[in-house]
Amino acid sequence: MNTTKRILVVDDEPGVTRSLKLNLEAGGGYEVTIENHANQALTTARHIRPDLILLDVMMSETDGGEVAARMEADPLLRGTPIIFLTAIVSNEETGGHEMLKGDHAFIAKPVDLGELKRSIQDHILS
């Protein structure tokens, strides 16, 4: 039985997406697809059907909140956990931990990889 979980990382900074892909796949258990164009995120997500989406809040093409709303309105993607990555708050403000606002989780950038992995596990298993 394949237990590899599919994660979609959407961020308009290729360095961020490459780093997250390398670090998450290196630990095993994750197959990471990256999308650097917010306007293509919905199409990519529909194609790969991820178990979880990591989504940057502030992107040049489309705001992460708008991308999330499109995904949540899509019958194929509704219910897929989304963790927002944001530079709006700092690790000092969050204590380096996930912050919840409404139904969404936020993790400050630069991302603490250990905290990100814990948050991914919490959301995939819940």
Short mmCIF file of all heavy atoms in Angstrom, two decimals, residues 10-41:
data_model
loop_
_atom_site.label_atom_id
_atom_site.label_comp_id
_atom_site.label_asym_id
_atom_site.label_seq_id
_atom_site.Cartn_x
_atom_site.Cartn_y
_atom_site.Cartn_z
N VAL A 10 2.39 26.14 -3.56
CA VAL A 10 2.11 27.26 -4.46
C VAL A 10 2.76 28.50 -3.87
O VAL A 10 2.38 28.98 -2.80
CB VAL A 10 0.59 27.49 -4.63
CG1 VAL A 10 0.34 28.64 -5.61
CG2 VAL A 10 -0.11 26.21 -5.08
N ASP A 11 3.77 29.00 -4.58
CA ASP A 11 4.50 30.20 -4.15
C ASP A 11 5.14 30.79 -5.39
O ASP A 11 5.65 30.05 -6.22
CB ASP A 11 5.56 29.83 -3.11
CG ASP A 11 6.13 31.05 -2.38
OD1 ASP A 11 6.57 31.99 -3.07
OD2 ASP A 11 6.14 31.04 -1.14
N ASP A 12 5.11 32.11 -5.53
CA ASP A 12 5.68 32.72 -6.73
C ASP A 12 7.20 32.89 -6.66
O ASP A 12 7.80 33.43 -7.59
CB ASP A 12 4.99 34.04 -7.07
CG ASP A 12 5.08 35.08 -5.97
OD1 ASP A 12 5.57 34.77 -4.87
OD2 ASP A 12 4.63 36.23 -6.22
N GLU A 13 7.81 32.41 -5.60
CA GLU A 13 9.27 32.46 -5.48
C GLU A 13 9.83 31.05 -5.71
O GLU A 13 9.73 30.18 -4.84
CB GLU A 13 9.67 32.94 -4.09
CG GLU A 13 9.26 34.37 -3.80
CD GLU A 13 9.68 34.80 -2.41
OE1 GLU A 13 10.88 34.65 -2.06
OE2 GLU A 13 8.81 35.26 -1.66
N PRO A 14 10.44 30.81 -6.90
CA PRO A 14 10.97 29.48 -7.22
C PRO A 14 11.96 28.94 -6.19
O PRO A 14 12.00 27.75 -5.93
CB PRO A 14 11.64 29.67 -8.59
CG PRO A 14 10.90 30.81 -9.20
CD PRO A 14 10.58 31.73 -8.05
N GLY A 15 12.74 29.81 -5.57
CA GLY A 15 13.70 29.36 -4.55
C GLY A 15 12.99 28.75 -3.35
O GLY A 15 13.45 27.75 -2.79
N VAL A 16 11.87 29.33 -2.98
CA VAL A 16 11.08 28.83 -1.85
C VAL A 16 10.49 27.47 -2.19
O VAL A 16 10.59 26.52 -1.41
CB VAL A 16 9.96 29.82 -1.45
CG1 VAL A 16 9.00 29.20 -0.45
CG2 VAL A 16 10.56 31.10 -0.89
N THR A 17 9.89 27.35 -3.37
CA THR A 17 9.25 26.08 -3.73
C THR A 17 10.27 24.97 -3.90
O THR A 17 10.03 23.85 -3.46
CB THR A 17 8.38 26.22 -5.01
OG1 THR A 17 9.17 26.76 -6.07
CG2 THR A 17 7.16 27.08 -4.76
N ARG A 18 11.42 25.28 -4.50
CA ARG A 18 12.47 24.25 -4.67
C ARG A 18 12.97 23.77 -3.32
O ARG A 18 13.15 22.57 -3.09
CB ARG A 18 13.65 24.79 -5.48
CG ARG A 18 13.46 24.67 -6.97
CD ARG A 18 14.77 24.91 -7.72
NE ARG A 18 15.45 26.14 -7.37
CZ ARG A 18 15.22 27.32 -7.93
NH1 ARG A 18 14.31 27.43 -8.89
NH2 ARG A 18 15.89 28.39 -7.54
N SER A 19 13.21 24.70 -2.41
CA SER A 19 13.71 24.34 -1.08
C SER A 19 12.70 23.47 -0.33
O SER A 19 13.07 22.45 0.27
CB SER A 19 14.00 25.61 -0.29
OG SER A 19 14.37 25.31 1.03
N LEU A 20 11.44 23.85 -0.36
CA LEU A 20 10.41 23.06 0.33
C LEU A 20 10.30 21.68 -0.29
O LEU A 20 10.20 20.68 0.42
CB LEU A 20 9.07 23.78 0.30
CG LEU A 20 8.95 24.99 1.22
CD1 LEU A 20 7.65 25.74 0.95
CD2 LEU A 20 9.04 24.58 2.68
N LYS A 21 10.32 21.59 -1.61
CA LYS A 21 10.23 20.29 -2.29
C LYS A 21 11.39 19.40 -1.87
O LYS A 21 11.18 18.24 -1.48
CB LYS A 21 10.24 20.49 -3.81
CG LYS A 21 10.20 19.18 -4.60
CD LYS A 21 10.14 19.46 -6.10
CE LYS A 21 10.23 18.21 -6.93
NZ LYS A 21 9.10 17.32 -6.85
N LEU A 22 12.62 19.91 -1.93
CA LEU A 22 13.79 19.12 -1.56
C LEU A 22 13.72 18.65 -0.12
O LEU A 22 13.96 17.48 0.18
CB LEU A 22 15.08 19.92 -1.78
CG LEU A 22 15.49 20.15 -3.23
CD1 LEU A 22 16.64 21.14 -3.31
CD2 LEU A 22 15.87 18.84 -3.88
N ASN A 23 13.38 19.56 0.79
CA ASN A 23 13.35 19.22 2.20
C ASN A 23 12.23 18.26 2.57
O ASN A 23 12.42 17.37 3.39
CB ASN A 23 13.27 20.49 3.06
CG ASN A 23 14.58 21.20 3.14
OD1 ASN A 23 15.58 20.64 3.61
ND2 ASN A 23 14.64 22.43 2.67
N LEU A 24 11.06 18.43 1.99
CA LEU A 24 9.94 17.54 2.31
C LEU A 24 10.11 16.17 1.69
O LEU A 24 9.79 15.15 2.31
CB LEU A 24 8.62 18.17 1.88
CG LEU A 24 8.19 19.39 2.69
CD1 LEU A 24 6.97 20.06 2.06
CD2 LEU A 24 7.91 19.03 4.14
N GLU A 25 10.64 16.10 0.47
CA GLU A 25 10.83 14.81 -0.17
C GLU A 25 12.01 14.05 0.42
O GLU A 25 12.01 12.81 0.43
CB GLU A 25 11.00 14.97 -1.68
CG GLU A 25 9.71 15.33 -2.37
CD GLU A 25 9.80 15.41 -3.88
OE1 GLU A 25 10.93 15.52 -4.42
OE2 GLU A 25 8.75 15.36 -4.53
N ALA A 26 13.01 14.77 0.94
CA ALA A 26 14.20 14.13 1.51
C ALA A 26 13.83 13.27 2.71
O ALA A 26 14.44 12.24 2.95
CB ALA A 26 15.24 15.17 1.91
N GLY A 27 12.84 13.68 3.48
CA GLY A 27 12.42 12.92 4.65
C GLY A 27 11.59 11.71 4.30
O GLY A 27 11.29 10.88 5.15
N GLY A 28 11.18 11.60 3.05
CA GLY A 28 10.35 10.48 2.63
C GLY A 28 8.90 10.70 3.03
O GLY A 28 8.58 11.50 3.89
N GLY A 29 8.03 10.00 2.36
CA GLY A 29 6.61 10.05 2.70
C GLY A 29 5.83 11.13 1.97
O GLY A 29 4.61 11.15 2.05
N TYR A 30 6.54 12.04 1.27
CA TYR A 30 5.85 13.11 0.55
C TYR A 30 6.29 13.16 -0.90
O TYR A 30 7.47 13.02 -1.20
CB TYR A 30 6.12 14.49 1.18
CG TYR A 30 5.67 14.59 2.61
CD1 TYR A 30 6.59 14.83 3.62
CD2 TYR A 30 4.33 14.47 2.96
CE1 TYR A 30 6.19 14.93 4.93
CE2 TYR A 30 3.92 14.56 4.27
CZ TYR A 30 4.86 14.79 5.26
OH TYR A 30 4.46 14.89 6.56
N GLU A 31 5.33 13.36 -1.77
CA GLU A 31 5.59 13.63 -3.18
C GLU A 31 5.14 15.07 -3.38
O GLU A 31 3.94 15.38 -3.23
CB GLU A 31 4.78 12.68 -4.06
CG GLU A 31 4.93 12.93 -5.53
CD GLU A 31 4.00 12.03 -6.32
OE1 GLU A 31 3.89 10.84 -5.99
OE2 GLU A 31 3.36 12.55 -7.26
N VAL A 32 6.07 15.97 -3.68
CA VAL A 32 5.78 17.40 -3.73
C VAL A 32 5.76 17.90 -5.17
O VAL A 32 6.69 17.67 -5.94
CB VAL A 32 6.82 18.19 -2.91
CG1 VAL A 32 6.53 19.69 -2.98
CG2 VAL A 32 6.84 17.70 -1.46
N THR A 33 4.68 18.58 -5.51
CA THR A 33 4.56 19.25 -6.80
C THR A 33 4.61 20.75 -6.52
O THR A 33 4.00 21.22 -5.55
CB THR A 33 3.22 18.90 -7.48
OG1 THR A 33 3.17 17.49 -7.70
CG2 THR A 33 3.05 19.63 -8.81
N ILE A 34 5.35 21.48 -7.36
CA ILE A 34 5.44 22.92 -7.15
C ILE A 34 4.72 23.66 -8.27
O ILE A 34 4.68 23.21 -9.41
CB ILE A 34 6.91 23.41 -7.02
CG1 ILE A 34 7.72 23.05 -8.26
CG2 ILE A 34 7.54 22.83 -5.77
CD1 ILE A 34 9.15 23.57 -8.21
N GLU A 35 4.14 24.79 -7.89
CA GLU A 35 3.49 25.67 -8.85
C GLU A 35 3.88 27.10 -8.50
O GLU A 35 3.59 27.56 -7.40
CB GLU A 35 1.96 25.50 -8.80
CG GLU A 35 1.20 26.38 -9.77
CD GLU A 35 1.67 26.22 -11.20
OE1 GLU A 35 1.42 25.14 -11.79
OE2 GLU A 35 2.29 27.17 -11.73
N ASN A 36 4.57 27.77 -9.43
CA ASN A 36 5.04 29.13 -9.18
C ASN A 36 4.11 30.20 -9.76
O ASN A 36 4.39 31.39 -9.64
CB ASN A 36 6.45 29.32 -9.73
CG ASN A 36 7.46 28.45 -9.02
OD1 ASN A 36 8.11 27.63 -9.64
ND2 ASN A 36 7.57 28.58 -7.71
N HIS A 37 3.02 29.79 -10.38
CA HIS A 37 2.07 30.73 -10.97
C HIS A 37 0.72 30.54 -10.30
O HIS A 37 0.04 29.53 -10.53
CB HIS A 37 1.97 30.51 -12.48
CG HIS A 37 3.27 30.70 -13.17
ND1 HIS A 37 3.81 31.94 -13.43
CD2 HIS A 37 4.17 29.80 -13.62
CE1 HIS A 37 4.98 31.80 -14.02
NE2 HIS A 37 5.23 30.50 -14.14
N ALA A 38 0.32 31.52 -9.51
CA ALA A 38 -0.93 31.43 -8.76
C ALA A 38 -2.13 31.16 -9.67
O ALA A 38 -3.04 30.42 -9.31
CB ALA A 38 -1.16 32.71 -7.95
N ASN A 39 -2.10 31.74 -10.87
CA ASN A 39 -3.22 31.56 -11.79
C ASN A 39 -3.33 30.14 -12.33
O ASN A 39 -4.35 29.77 -12.90
CB ASN A 39 -3.14 32.56 -12.94
CG ASN A 39 -3.37 33.98 -12.47
OD1 ASN A 39 -4.05 34.22 -11.48
ND2 ASN A 39 -2.81 34.94 -13.18
N GLN A 40 -2.28 29.33 -12.17
CA GLN A 40 -2.30 27.94 -12.61
C GLN A 40 -2.54 26.96 -11.45
O GLN A 40 -2.64 25.76 -11.67
CB GLN A 40 -0.96 27.59 -13.30
CG GLN A 40 -0.76 28.31 -14.60
CD GLN A 40 -1.83 27.94 -15.62
OE1 GLN A 40 -2.15 26.77 -15.80
NE2 GLN A 40 -2.40 28.93 -16.27
N ALA A 41 -2.61 27.48 -10.23
CA ALA A 41 -2.68 26.62 -9.04
C ALA A 41 -3.92 25.72 -9.05
O ALA A 41 -3.83 24.54 -8.70
CB ALA A 41 -2.66 27.47 -7.77
#
